[in-house]
Amino acid sequence: MELSAVRIEKPDDQNVIIGQAHFIKTVEDLHEVLIGTGPYLKFGLAFCEASGPRLIRRSGNDDALIELAAKNAQTIGAGHSFIVFLREGFPVNVLNAIRRVPEVCGIFCATANPVDVIVAETALGRGIIGVVDGPVPLGVEGEADLAARTRLLRDIGYKF
């Protein structure tokens, strides 16, 4: 078995969701779920098929995000993995809907941070083992940090 780290190529502030599913219908179901979350959400998604023609299936409502998803899915190259890029929305707005898609097996990450995908390759193919989603913590939150976090959540509309 060979292990490798695949860096996700994306703009610094671009949100990405990486997960695993199990059926060719994943692309259509994820598209329907994402398009139904709100009129302003822009997205691109790609899914690595693991049987049949083994194509990278893609969809979305933003051509640049669709291409970004397809390019990164090809670089990861792990069967049954999917990647979604979002604009005009955050992963927190869509994660529960994505998890409810029947063929979604799990989510590895949802972040705007730099991401390395840890991939294992065997004679059978490639699979995602996990992700590295940012550097180690620099300390424990203090009172000023708590106040700043609370203020940020209110500023972006997630707390009142």
Side-chain angles (χ1 to χ4, degrees):
M1 173 174 47
E2 292 184 35
L3 295 177
S4 60
V6 175
R7 176 66 46 103
I8 297 300
E9 292 184 36
K10 66 179 196 60
D12 288 342
D13 61 347
Q14 184 71 63
N15 280 288
V16 62
I17 299 168
I18 300 171
Q20 186 173 18
H22 70 88
F23 192 45
I24 191 172
K25 193 167 80 70
T26 299
V27 173
E28 283 79 9
D29 288 352
L30 287 176
H31 183 106
E32 289 173 8
V33 160
L34 290 165
I35 205 77
T37 61
Y40 303 108
L41 182 71
K42 301 294 181 203
F43 66 93
L45 69 101
F47 172 68
C48 293
E49 208 170 48
S51 59
R54 295 193 335 247
L55 298 173
I56 295 172
R57 306 295 181 166
R58 57 197 172 106
S59 190
N61 62 1
D62 182 290
D63 290 339
L65 295 178
I66 294 167
E67 291 308 311
L68 186 62
K71 177 182 179 182
N72 279 281
Q74 189 166 22
T75 303
I76 294 167
H80 286 146
S81 64
F82 68 85
I83 186 165
V84 177
F85 286 99
L86 304 174
R87 187 178 302 135
E88 306 301 326
F90 298 101
V92 69
N93 303 123
V94 299
L95 277 174
N96 282 335
I98 289 173
R99 283 187 190 108
R100 285 192 302 269
V101 171
E103 59 270 21
V104 169
C105 301
I107 305 289
F108 291 105
C109 72
T111 186
N113 289 346
V115 177
D116 283 339
V117 178
I118 310 305
V119 175
E121 187 164 357
T122 70
L124 186 59
R126 293 173 64 130
I128 297 174
I129 292 179
V131 299
V132 177
D133 173 16
V136 299
L138 297 175
V140 177
E141 179 178 61
E143 291 302 317
D145 304 306
L146 172 61
R149 174 171 49 90
T150 303
R151 189 171 45 257
L152 172 66
L153 290 173
R154 283 172 175 67
D155 289 349
I156 63 174
Y158 281 95
K159 294 288 182 178
F160 299 104

